Amino acid sequence: MYTFQSRAAADLLMLEATAKHILQLLDKTPGEPGIITVAQIPAALETLAKAVEADEARRKALELAAQSPDAETSAKAGAESAELGAISLRQRVAPLADMLRASLAENKDLTWTPKK
């Protein structure tokens, strides 16, 4: 479990796997406390937006491949889709993106702490 904090928003609790994935997208070190400064927030938001777009494109491609008449292609796409899970990256990122936008608007840094 990770706790994300900013003086511009309520604390955000995030499951460890999701937090680690998002921190890796942002080129931050998971497993340690950290900070996203106000100056870094615009780039972080852009990075998250690009990752969401890529995730949505991959999901759409897998959806199309799952409908393929070729059984092997369809099965492989179904398996990959199942690995991605039902919750999209957009849904997982949304609370943190909202916190980042609020932090930017109020000129406040965002920090996180993993719970052990």
Side-chain angles (χ1 to χ4, degrees):
M1 186 73 71
Y2 279 67
T3 302
F4 291 85
Q5 297 178 306
S6 170
R7 293 185 183 200
D11 289 1
L12 172 64
L13 298 176
M14 192 177 290
L15 294 175
E16 183 176 0
T18 301
K20 283 183 173 182
H21 178 72
I22 291 171
L23 290 173
Q24 288 171 339
L25 289 172
L26 296 174
D27 203 25
K28 300 290 184 177
T29 305
E32 300 176 9
I35 186 169
I36 299 174
T37 65
V38 173
Q40 295 172 326
I41 292 174
L45 286 168
E46 185 176 331
T47 297
L48 292 177
K50 287 180 181 178
V52 165
E53 288 176 18
D55 179 69
E56 289 176 347
R58 181 174 180 207
R59 286 174 183 273
K60 182 138 182 99
L62 288 172
E63 184 180 317
L64 292 173
Q67 297 171 7
S68 170
D70 178 52
E72 185 176 329
T73 300
S74 179
K76 183 178 176 186
E80 285 183 45
S81 183
E83 285 179 24
L84 285 176
I87 301 172
S88 70
L89 185 59
R90 178 179 298 281
Q91 292 167 303
R92 294 184 189 278
V93 165
L96 184 60
D98 290 344
M99 181 182 248
L100 285 165
R101 284 189 282 275
S103 298
L104 183 60
E106 294 190 27
N107 203 35
K108 304 291 182 191
D109 296 336
L110 181 144
T111 61
W112 67 87
T113 307
K115 300 288 182 189
K116 296 184 180 188

